[in-house]
Amino acid sequence: DIQMTQSPSSLSASIGDRVTITCRASQSISTYLNWYQQKPGKAPKLLISAASSLQSAVPSRFSGSGSGTDFALTISSLQPEDFATYYCQQSYSTPFTFGPGTKVDFK
Amino acid sequence: QVQLVQSGAEVKKPGSSVKVSCKASGGSFSSYTTNWVRQAPGQGLEWVGRIIPILDIANYAQKFQGRVTITADRSTSTAYMELSSLISEDTAVYYCARAVDSGAPLAYWGQGTLVTVSS
């Protein structure tokens, strides 16, 4: 199975901050890397697919980068609605494993 | 507009089984894959398995092999996940989620079904 790790596990930030979350795969997954946002009590929401493809209706302050084993999600200017938990997930091979998540909260 | 509507919350005894449904509307049910993901209280997301309805093929995470069965009824556009030999650690919200093909992301999610395992 492909193991996914994320760092940090949590971070505190202020409105307007630039935030970067990293994700690493235990083996190369090309660009089969997706990012999800989850708010309490809600289903996850797909933000970015194929490492860097922004989903429609997702604000342009979100961006993704990387290939192979190392990836990043960046929020260029944190907004109040961005406080949530973020998960990476590989869709290269089954089982389609998730990272452990990064909780972004208010400083 | 793809929508996934899951069945309601369940309370089960240890050792019993639970079957959760996921009815799809919009899009082509057969050509999408339906995945099941669970989330224990306060924990992260865990992929359980998936079915490719057009091929009637299911894949499962090794952890659940032998205990989980995922099926699909194309006539009603409904996918099912059955988990047997339940233990307290199976208490979680179970989500169904659809992808357009095998390597695609989980673009559409159901609302989740809470399964509580308690004696």
Side-chain angles (χ1 to χ4, degrees):
Chain A
D1 297 1
I2 298 173
Q3 308 304 316
M4 306 299 293
T5 58
Q6 284 181 238
S7 62
S9 56
S10 65
L11 67 90
S12 297
S14 300
I15 303 300
D17 282 354
R18 181 182 181 88
V19 168
T20 298
I21 300 166
T22 62
C23 175
R24 176 167 286 177
S26 61
Q27 66 183 73
S28 178
I29 57 171
S30 183
T31 57
Y32 288 87
L33 191 283
N34 312 301
W35 290 98
Y36 301 86
Q37 176 193 66
Q38 188 180 33
K39 296 183 179 179
K42 299 293 187 183
K45 172 188 173 183
L46 177 65
L47 296 178
I48 288 170
S49 63
S52 61
S53 180
L54 195 68
Q55 298 305 289
S56 61
V58 174
S60 59
R61 62 181 179 272
F62 290 92
S63 64
S65 63
S67 66
T69 61
D70 293 304
F71 302 88
L73 171 70
T74 298
I75 309 173
S76 61
S77 177
L78 198 66
Q79 297 302 301
E81 59 269 30
D82 301 337
F83 292 100
T85 300
Y86 294 85
Y87 295 92
C88 62
Q89 180 229 8
Q90 62 86 14
S91 52
Y92 181 79
S93 66
T94 59
F96 295 139
T97 40
F98 289 87
T102 296
K103 185 176 182 180
V104 177
D105 62 22
F106 186 69
K107 184 185 287 182
Chain B
Q1 179 79 3
V2 174
Q3 278 198 308
L4 303 176
V5 178
Q6 299 183 222
S7 49
E10 303 263 12
V11 179
K12 293 293 182 179
K13 300 284 190 190
S16 67
S17 298
V18 68
K19 192 170 186 177
V20 182
S21 68
C22 171
K23 184 171 175 61
S25 60
S28 171
F29 178 78
S30 293
S31 55
Y32 283 47
T33 71
T34 299
N35 295 251
W36 290 89
V37 175
R38 78 176 188 179
Q39 187 169 38
Q43 302 301 307
L45 302 170
E46 182 174 32
W47 188 82
V48 176
R50 68 156 180 192
I51 189 161
I52 307 171
I54 199 168
L55 300 176
D56 202 24
I57 290 174
N59 306 114
Y60 306 116
Q62 181 68 30
K63 176 178 179 177
F64 302 100
Q65 284 278 0
R67 282 210 303 143
V68 68
T69 304
I70 297 174
T71 56
D73 182 343
R74 285 187 275 172
S75 68
T76 60
S77 298
T78 303
Y80 299 90
M81 184 216 59
E82 184 169 22
L83 189 62
S84 62
S85 303
L86 291 169
I87 59 176
S88 58
E89 288 79 10
D90 292 320
T91 294
V93 175
Y94 289 76
Y95 294 101
C96 62
R98 294 181 75 188
V100 296
D101 64 37
S102 183
L106 304 179
Y108 308 102
W109 292 71
Q111 83 275 20
T113 297
L114 175 61
V115 174
T116 302
V117 182
S118 173
S119 55

